[in-house]
Structures are given as C-alpha cells and as structure tokens.
C-alpha cells in the first residue's frame, strides 16, 4: 500500500525539495504550512516539477484542532517535521517567539500524533546543536555545547524532548543539517529569503544579481588556511533525498520505539572565501566583497563526519559544490526575471 507522509513546513526551502523527492520515490504526500515564511508559489513550483497537484493545507502546527483534523481525514504512515523558524539572529531578537514556535509546534505535533496513533517521525535538526565542536569532523557522539543562539537552543531542546518521548511509543530520526545550499536543478523551486537573507549563499547570489551592493565576509582572522570560517555546504536536493532514505530506514526498523540522530553533511569543509571564489569561477559573475568584522556567535570551523548516515541509509551526497552554486545562481536569476 502507498505510504502517505505528512510534511509540515512543506512550502519551506527544505520541505518543498523533500516533497519533490518523496513523490519521485512513490510516496503520497500532504503538505501543511502557515505561509508566514514562504509563498504558495513554491508549492506551485513543486507541482510543475512533479506534474501533479499537491494536497496542501494552510495550517499552523501550534493549532492542535486544525492539525488534528488533518490527521483525522488521512491515514499517515509517518510525519516529516520541518515547520520552524530558522534565523539565528532573529532568534536573538525574539527568543520567546522562537521557543513558542519551534518547541511549541513540536509538542503539539507529538500530542496529535499520539492521539492518532502515528508513531514515526523525521525531525529537522541542525549541526548548530553542537556549538563549536572540540573535534572536527564532528560525529553524532559529540556533546551538545552551549548553543550560540536561542534558535540553536530550540533544536537542542527539541532533540532532548524527542529522546525522552520514545517511552510513549514514538520512533524518531533526527537529521542534523549542516549548511543546505542551492536549489532544484529545474530552478522551479529554491530558497525564498523573505526580507534580508541571513545565510551566505543567498547573500552571494543577491550581490551577483545586483540586488545588494556588496557581500561582507564576516572575518578573515580565524585560525583557518585563508582566515575565513569553514562550513559543510550540502546541496538542498541531497538533503531532501536523505529524508526519503530516513523514512525507508525507519520503516524497516522493527523496534516499538527508537530515537536516532544523524549528521547530514558532505564531510567536506569549505571556507567562506573558497565558496566565494568558486561562485565567481563557475558563474563568471563579478562578486564585489569586503572583509568585515567577525559575526558574533559564528563558530570557526564545523563540518560533518557523515559515516553513520552513509552506512545506515546506504546513501551519500551526489551534488558537487560547483553544482550547488550554479543551481543557486539559476534560481536567483529565475526569481529576478519573474
Ligand atoms: C555561513 C558562513 C558566516 C553571511 C546557520 C545556522 C544553521 C543553519 C544554517 C538553519 C559563516 C559567513 C554569512 C554573510 C558571511 N540554519 N557569512 N557573510 O551561520 O553556518 O548556520 O545557518 O537551518 O543551523 O546556524 O550559516 O550561511 O549564516 O553563515 O561571511 O553575509 O558564512 O560568518 O561563517 P551558519 P550562514
């Protein structure tokens, strides 16, 4: 029987790319989203890619009544929970909103899942739970250090809740994303940085498109080969495919309850300046940038040891950094010409 998956935050950056890969893998999907941080045109982009309609409902995961009604009308086999706020610096300005939304929506979802006897959940976590790891590449045994922001703290709190609720019969996989970048190769969907982007690659593509005057590289005095921070940039479609693999992993497990967490990264560290120069090389675009002061809260160096996820899921990343940057640029050009 075709498995039916509920995707919360399905109009979001990673949520939308995951809808595409779930459909490609033969799953039936229902997507919910508040559209507070995205637009319905992203769902329309998904529909153009898969050439069929998406069952979409504009629902807030904090609304237990509305959420429960979706469960009552469907027989879901699993849930993938993306719905959350994700801006590091906004979380510093509005911590209460972040705790309420990110932790509150997970709690509501778990209660509604329990009420409807749905036990399998894939959770959208982040490498930010590690803080600045002592050991690089970082593996899943690394301790959670003090989170650098309320956003990071909400991911730590959510993972701790998830580890403890398995006693109530949940089976949970938490995926700790490193730095998702790029867009679907079709350029039908991509990252919609509503307002000013926080992340590096939208800043890069908006500067190349002339939307921003210049890129500021936040510091080149770190203890790294070129002085700029090092990250693990992973193509968003690789991240999406890993969610399909996580579902298969969970469906094949026989335990009545479990919690497991996996680092979702390429395992390759790339510096900010390396990425900037690679972008210029693959697109041929000018990219005016200056070196500015360090950004508070930035960790110097973090990239994944992806051995566990590679072995457990029988999966590894397939897109290169060049392809990620090219796809990001194609998406930027697409939304600017709209
Ligand atoms: C990457 C590097 C910046 C912008 C955060 C969250 C993480 C995830 C991804 C949600 C850093 C530098 C950036 C700019 C720059 N979020 N930079 N100039 O901080 O690694 O991770 O976003 O899932 O959980 O922690 O990502 O893209 O903001 O920064 O020099 O204009 O690029 O200093 O070194 P980050 P980022």
């Amino acid at each position: 029987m075709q498995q039916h998956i509920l995707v919360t935050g399905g109009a979001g950056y990673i949520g939308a790319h995951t809808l595409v890969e779930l459909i490609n893998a033969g799953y039936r999907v229902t997507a919910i989203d508040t559209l507070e941080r995205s637009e319905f045109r992203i769902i329309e982009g998904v529909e153009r890619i898969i050439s069929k309609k998406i069952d979409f409902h504009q629902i807030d995961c904090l609304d237990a009544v509305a959420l429960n009604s979706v469960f009552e009308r469907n027989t879901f086999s699993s849930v993938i929970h993306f719905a959350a706020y994700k801006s590091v610096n906004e979380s510093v300005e509005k911590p209460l909103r972040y705790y309420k939304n990110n932790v509150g929506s997970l709690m509501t979802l778990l209660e509604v899942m329990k009420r409807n006897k749905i036990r399998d959940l894939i959770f959208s976590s982040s490498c930010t739970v590690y803080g600045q790891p002592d050991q690089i590449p970082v593996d899943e045994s690394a301790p959670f250090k003090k989170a650098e922001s309320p956003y990071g703290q909400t991911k730590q709190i959510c993972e701790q809740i998830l580890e403890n609720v398995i006693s109530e019969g949940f089976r949970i996989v938490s995926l700790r994303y490193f730095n998702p970048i790029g867009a679907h190769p079709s350029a039908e969907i991509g990252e919609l940085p509503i307002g000013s982007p926080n992340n590096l690659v939208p800043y890069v593509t908006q500067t190349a498109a002339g939307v921003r005057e210049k890129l500021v590289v936040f510091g080149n005095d770190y203890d790294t080969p070129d002085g700029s921070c090092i990250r693990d940039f992973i193509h968003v479609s690789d991240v999406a495919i890993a969610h399909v693999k996580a579902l298969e992993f969970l469906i094949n497990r026989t335990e009545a309850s479990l919690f497991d967490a996996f680092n979702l990264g390429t395992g390759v560290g790339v510096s900010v300046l390396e990425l900037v120069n690679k972008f210029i090389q693959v697109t041929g675009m000018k990219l005016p940038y200056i070196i500015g002061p360090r950004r508070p809260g930035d960790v110097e160096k973090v990239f994944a040891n992806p051995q566990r996820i590679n072995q457990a899921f029988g999966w590894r990343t397939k897109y290169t950094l060049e392809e990620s940057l090219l796809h990001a640029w194609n998406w930027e050009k697409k939304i600017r010409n709209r």
Side-chain angles (χ1 to χ4, degrees):
M1 185 194 54
Q2 193 183 26
Q3 310 262 355
H4 190 178
I5 314 299
L6 173 66
V7 178
T8 75
Y13 177 40
I14 301 171
H17 286 82
T18 302
L19 291 179
V20 169
E21 302 305 336
L22 286 168
I23 300 279
N24 289 344
Y27 289 92
R28 187 179 161 205
V29 300
T30 291
I32 63 175
D33 200 296
T34 58
L35 296 181
E36 179 197 356
R37 301 285 168 100
S38 186
E39 295 168 19
F40 186 70
R41 64 175 161 131
I42 292 292
I43 296 290
E44 290 168 333
V46 172
E47 292 174 337
R48 284 194 296 275
I49 296 171
I50 59 171
S51 308
K52 67 168 93 169
K53 285 289 178 201
I54 288 282
D55 177 34
F56 175 81
H57 307 273
Q58 189 169 357
I59 284 176
D60 187 335
C61 286
L62 287 170
D63 180 347
V65 173
L67 189 60
N68 191 60
S69 71
V70 177
F71 277 82
E72 286 181 334
R73 289 199 306 271
N74 295 282
T75 307
F76 297 124
S77 57
S78 316
V79 179
I80 305 182
H81 183 47
F82 292 107
Y85 294 148
K86 63 158 223 164
S87 164
V88 170
N89 41 30
E90 185 188 39
S91 78
V92 176
E93 292 152 29
K94 303 171 185 164
L96 199 51
R97 195 151 169 220
Y98 268 68
Y99 293 122
K100 169 84 176 163
N101 187 57
N102 290 9
V103 183
S105 60
L106 176 66
M107 305 280 291
T108 305
L109 175 65
L110 289 168
E111 286 161 354
V112 171
M113 284 178 69
K114 188 163 190 272
R115 191 179 313 154
N116 290 276
K117 299 182 175 40
I118 308 298
R119 60 181 188 165
D120 286 3
L121 172 66
I122 311 288
F123 176 68
S124 165
S125 188
S126 166
C127 64
T128 200
V129 298
Y130 297 118
Q132 174 61 67
D134 295 327
Q135 210 172 352
I136 303 283
V138 60
D139 67 30
E140 291 83 357
S141 64
F144 284 9
K145 292 180 129 183
K146 185 178 178 322
E148 302 288 345
S149 68
Y151 160 76
Q153 219 168 27
T154 66
K155 293 300 181 183
Q156 291 181 338
I157 295 166
C158 286
E159 285 216 24
Q160 281 148 1
I161 290 170
L162 292 171
E163 269 199 275
N164 292 324
V165 297
I166 59 171
S167 60
E168 302 199 36
F170 288 99
R171 302 172 355 135
I172 299 163
V173 166
S174 181
L175 297 179
R176 295 171 183 162
Y177 310 153
F178 281 68
N179 288 64
I181 62 169
H184 191 267
S186 66
E188 291 291 359
I189 55 175
E191 193 165 10
L192 270 189
I194 294 174
S196 85
N198 292 305
N199 296 128
L200 175 63
V201 171
Y203 257 115
V204 165
T205 57
Q206 287 185 20
T207 303
V211 173
R212 297 190 178 281
E213 184 207 341
K214 63 181 178 304
L215 169 76
V216 178
V217 172
F218 297 142
N220 69 344
D221 57 351
Y222 287 98
D223 181 17
T224 61
D226 63 19
S228 65
C229 290
I230 291 177
R231 292 289 184 277
D232 184 330
F233 298 102
I234 178 171
H235 194 293
V236 62
S237 290
D238 274 330
V239 173
I241 292 164
H243 284 75
V244 178
K245 298 297 180 186
L247 273 183
E248 289 164 8
F249 170 82
L250 208 40
I251 288 165
N252 293 328
R253 296 293 290 265
T254 55
E255 296 93 327
S257 64
L258 71 96
F259 172 87
D260 210 341
F262 295 94
N263 285 342
L264 183 39
T266 65
V268 178
V270 171
S271 78
V272 174
L273 286 170
E274 281 173 327
L275 183 143
V276 165
N277 291 314
K278 186 63 78 178
F279 179 86
I280 293 167
Q281 185 194 335
V282 298
T283 63
M285 296 304 293
K286 288 190 174 43
L287 184 62
Y289 69 88
I290 60 165
I291 304 292
R294 292 183 175 194
R295 179 173 69 175
D298 271 340
V299 298
E300 175 173 88
K301 202 182 322 182
V302 61
F303 57 92
N305 172 351
Q307 263 178 352
R308 280 200 74 230
I309 197 169
N310 295 152
Q311 283 158 7
F313 293 7
W315 163 89
R316 54 186 55 248
T317 50
K318 68 177 183 185
Y319 288 101
T320 62
L321 177 65
E322 291 79 357
E323 287 166 319
S324 302
L325 295 172
L326 215 47
H327 295 160
W329 179 231
N330 292 341
W331 167 248
E332 183 69 48
K333 286 186 289 184
K334 180 83 176 283
I335 54 177
R336 297 299 158 200
N337 297 336
R338 232 163 236 187

